[in-house]
Amino acid sequence: MAEDLNAVVVSVDYRLAPEVHFPEQYNDAYLGTKHFLLPEVLAKYSVDPNRVAVSGDSAGGNLAAAVSQQLALDSSVTNKPKLQSLIYPVLQALDFNTPSYQQNRDVPILYRPLMVKFWLEYLNGDPSFIHSLLVNNHTSLDLSQVATSREKVNWTSLLPSALKKNYMPVVQATGTPKVIQEVPALLDVRAAPLIADEDVLKLLPQTYVLTCEHDVLRDDGIMYARRLEQAGIRVTHDHYEDGFHGCMIFGLWPTYFSIGIRTMHNYIKWLDQNL
């Protein structure tokens, strides 16, 4: 990528769960990015301050989206990213029954229960909450503190009809308030960038979102792309009908799968054309 774009590529070596939990991963990513954006640091590495992008895939896409939002709000940051690019990002933990979660619940490599397990591990939640999250008990109608955030992941209004198919929303009338009480980070925008207010989304840079049909996270990315468009942000959404979670890595030796080559090529091409 560095050679193709003639660019400096920096990866933040943020700490991982279970050694540390949210918000430490976010803090590592944000502080590392903010430091790199200092004028003297950019100059040290011969980086054009007007041509900086923030990017990440999967959990890294979550951090990239959250970091981009905070950079937009941080008045002490004088050099703002020109672009953000999110590759099959994970963006919310309020609805584990979106059409893509229902459709791809048993599709490798990211099974639906495994995704819930990852979220609880990241947020330092009790593993016994897995079932409650799987059936959306943590976002039931009787939990008033969830109402505003729930609407921001309302796939019935954010997804195109072709993706809704015959899937039905899973909304419980009464739920398990203990989950939100013990894991309040489920409603923290730094952990779930999809639930950011529109006033924040309006401040974000031009965005690239890549999603895959055979991926439980498909709808996270599509809903975020839609919310960004509604906020007036220029968005390029690349969707791959034959794609699956993590497929871009298969564009490298020794695999060279067609889907890996295409996703990687188009991602780098977009950066080259827009950066």
Side-chain angles (χ1 to χ4, degrees):
M1 181 186 294
E3 291 181 353
D4 290 342
L5 295 173
N6 188 28
V8 175
V9 177
V10 178
S11 178
V12 178
D13 188 19
Y14 59 88
R15 291 166 291 169
L16 304 174
E19 285 70 33
V20 298
H21 303 280
F22 175 83
E24 297 309 317
Q25 292 88 338
Y26 165 83
N27 289 337
D28 288 351
Y30 186 72
L31 292 175
T33 305
K34 185 175 179 179
H35 174 77
F36 188 76
L37 288 172
L38 291 172
E40 60 270 28
V41 178
L42 293 174
K44 177 181 178 180
Y45 294 99
S46 302
V47 174
D48 183 344
N50 297 312
R51 299 180 64 237
V52 176
V54 175
S55 183
D57 73 296
S58 192
N62 171 288
L63 291 173
V67 164
S68 293
Q69 290 179 7
Q70 186 56 35
L71 288 173
L73 292 169
D74 193 337
S75 60
S76 70
V77 177
T78 56
N79 296 312
K80 305 287 187 179
K82 181 181 181 181
L83 309 170
Q84 68 168 338
S85 51
L86 313 175
I87 312 303
Y88 27 75
V90 49
L91 299 170
Q92 60 87 27
L94 296 185
D95 189 351
F96 290 101
N97 290 276
T98 63
S100 62
Y101 264 112
Q102 295 186 52
Q103 171 183 294
N104 301 302
R105 61 194 306 153
D106 298 316
V107 174
I109 57 172
L110 202 56
Y111 302 101
R112 179 167 163 264
L114 183 61
M115 194 65 237
V116 175
K117 178 179 180 293
F118 285 159
W119 266 110
L120 288 171
E121 191 170 74
Y122 178 43
L123 303 179
N124 201 22
D126 192 322
S128 67
F129 291 151
I130 287 179
H131 176 71
S132 293
L133 268 64
L134 283 172
V135 297
N136 287 352
N137 271 350
H138 61 309
T139 56
S140 56
L141 296 176
D142 62 325
L143 300 177
S144 58
Q145 68 269 43
V146 182
T148 301
S149 297
R150 189 193 308 113
E151 188 56 33
K152 293 171 184 172
V153 299
N154 182 6
W155 58 263
T156 64
S157 63
L158 291 170
L159 294 181
S161 298
L163 296 181
K164 298 176 190 176
K165 300 179 181 177
N166 293 320
Y167 295 109
M168 300 298 295
V170 176
V171 181
Q172 307 295 347
T174 58
T176 311
K178 184 179 179 181
V179 177
I180 295 297
Q181 291 168 3
E182 294 193 13
V183 196
L186 287 163
L187 299 178
D188 192 318
V189 70
R190 297 172 301 169
L194 181 55
I195 63 175
D197 291 336
E198 185 169 304
D199 287 346
V200 175
L201 300 184
K202 288 179 179 179
L203 303 175
L204 293 176
Q206 182 181 345
T207 301
Y208 176 89
V209 179
L210 186 153
T211 58
C212 295
E213 182 65 20
H214 307 290
D215 182 6
V216 292
L217 301 179
R218 179 198 70 188
D219 296 344
D220 282 25
I222 294 175
M223 288 191 289
Y224 196 50
R226 180 58 180 153
R227 289 205 63 215
L228 288 170
E229 288 175 336
Q230 291 175 341
I233 303 302
R234 183 180 171 191
V235 177
T236 298
H237 175 213
D238 267 357
H239 182 68
Y240 292 84
E241 290 291 338
D242 57 343
F244 53 91
H245 193 77
C247 62
M248 188 179 288
I249 196 173
F250 293 100
L252 301 171
W253 184 90
T255 50
Y256 295 123
F257 289 3
S258 170
I259 183 61
I261 294 171
R262 282 184 286 118
T263 52
M264 184 174 295
H265 171 78
N266 291 336
Y267 164 56
I268 294 175
K269 180 181 178 181
W270 183 86
L271 286 172
D272 188 44
Q273 292 176 341
N274 292 280
L275 193 57

